Amino acid sequence: FGWLDKQRGFIIGDGVFETGDSGNTWEEVIALRNVGIRKFQAPLIYLGYSNGFKGLIYKYIDTSYIPVELISFDGRVEGDKIVLEWITASEINNYGFEIEKSVKGGNWEKIGFVPGKGNSTEINDYNFTDQIILDGKLNYRLKQIDFNGTHSYSEVITIFVDDLPIQFNLAQNFPNPFNPLTTIKYEIPGQARNDNTLVTLIVYDILGRKIKELVNEKQQAGRYGVRFNASFLTSGVYIYQLITEEYMNTKKMILLK
C-alpha cells in the first residue's frame, strides 16, 4: 500500500488497484494482474516504483504534473555579457528551454535554445550567455517545452545594465551554509567595458591549503558570479579569496552536508 499524495494511492496485492479520490473509489490496473507486484515506493509525487515476478520493475509516472521542477532562475552582468543560470530538481518529457528577452518593456523575442535532459530525477544546471547591446532594463524568461509541444513559462527576471561598478567588491557567497552548490559574486570597477584586470579567485580549506582555483584570467569591468560545486569536499568551514593588482579580500563559507 502506498500514497503519491492525499488523493492518489495504490493497493498492491494479488492485483494492483489505484485511487484518484482519496480512496473513495478504486480501479484495478488490469495490465498488472498476476504479475506479482509488491512493495510500492513513491520517491516523488508523480513517480513510483514496484517490483514483481522474475525481476519485473513497474515504474509509475503521472504526466499531468508539471514536467519540470525549476529550483531557481537568475542572471547577472559579466563584462559585456549577461549570464543566465537556472537549476531543475527533476524533469519529465523535457525537450528543452527557449530563452526569451524583452528590452525596456518591449515585445518578447526568442534569443536562444538550450536542450533539456528528457527525463531526470537529478539536479541539473543550465546556463545561457547573452551579449549586451543596449544599456537599460532587460527582462528574461524561460519557455520550457515538452516533446509533445506543450509549454510553460518561468517567472520573469529583470536585469539592469547601467553604470559600471565604481569600486572592487567581494560579496558573501549565497546560499551560505550550502550543500553542495553556492555562488560567489564580485565586482570589478572600470571606465569602459574593454578595461581588463587580472583576477584570481581561489578556495582554501581552514588550514590555508589550496582547494580549487575558480578564476585566473583577465576580465572586463562588470559584475561577476562563479558557481562553486563542493560535492567532493567534506563538511566544514572554507575560505575564498579574490586577488587583483589593486585589491584583495577574503571571506568564509560553510559547507553543511
Side-chain angles (χ1 to χ4, degrees), residues 136-150:
K137 178 182 175 182
L138 304 178
N139 294 323
Y140 293 90
R141 69 183 182 185
L142 301 175
K143 180 180 180 181
Q144 185 273 315
I145 305 173
D146 292 350
F147 283 104
N148 60 11
T150 59

Side-chain angles (χ1 to χ4, degrees), residues 60-233:
Y60 172 95
I61 296 179
D62 185 346
T63 55
S64 66
Y65 266 74
I66 297 175
V68 176
E69 183 182 356
L70 192 66
I71 297 177
S72 65
F73 174 42
D74 56 24
R76 62 182 182 274
V77 178
E78 288 193 0
D80 62 347
K81 299 178 178 62
I82 290 178
V83 177
L84 304 175
E85 293 181 328
W86 61 99
I87 302 175
T88 63
S90 59
E91 301 180 21
I92 295 179
N93 195 34
N94 182 22
Y95 173 65
F97 303 88
E98 287 185 357
I99 297 88
E100 296 185 351
K101 179 171 70 172
S102 171
V103 178
K104 299 179 180 180
N107 294 330
W108 289 100
E109 176 187 2
K110 176 185 173 182
I111 60 172
F113 177 80
V114 176
K117 303 297 183 182
N119 296 310
S120 173
T121 57
E122 299 179 351
I123 292 177
N124 291 296
D125 291 90
Y126 296 91
N127 64 79
F128 179 83
T129 300
D130 184 29
Q131 191 76 28
I132 294 176
I133 299 177
L134 297 173
D135 290 353
K137 178 182 175 182
L138 304 178
N139 294 323
Y140 293 90
R141 69 183 182 185
L142 301 175
K143 180 180 180 181
Q144 185 273 315
I145 305 173
D146 292 350
F147 283 104
N148 60 11
T150 59
H151 65 271
S152 61
Y153 288 97
S154 72
E155 63 179 3
V156 176
I157 62 172
T158 300
I159 298 176
F160 293 93
V161 180
D162 47 20
D163 295 336
L164 295 171
I166 60 174
Q167 63 183 11
F168 287 99
N169 180 55
L170 176 64
Q172 185 65 52
N173 66 297
F174 182 83
N176 189 46
F178 66 99
N179 177 32
L181 298 173
T182 191
T183 299
I184 301 171
K185 294 185 178 182
Y186 57 91
E187 297 180 353
I188 301 173
Q191 299 301 315
R193 294 196 183 276
N194 58 3
D195 290 343
N196 287 310
T197 300
L198 180 60
V199 178
T200 304
L201 180 63
I202 303 175
V203 177
Y204 299 91
D205 65 16
I206 198 63
L207 298 178
R209 294 174 296 196
K210 183 176 178 179
I211 298 297
K212 189 169 184 178
E213 188 173 78
L214 301 178
V215 178
N216 186 2
E217 63 183 15
K218 286 188 175 183
Q219 294 184 329
Q220 298 175 339
R223 297 169 177 85
Y224 292 80
V226 178
R227 183 68 57 84
F228 176 51
N229 187 339
S231 57
F232 64 99
L233 297 174

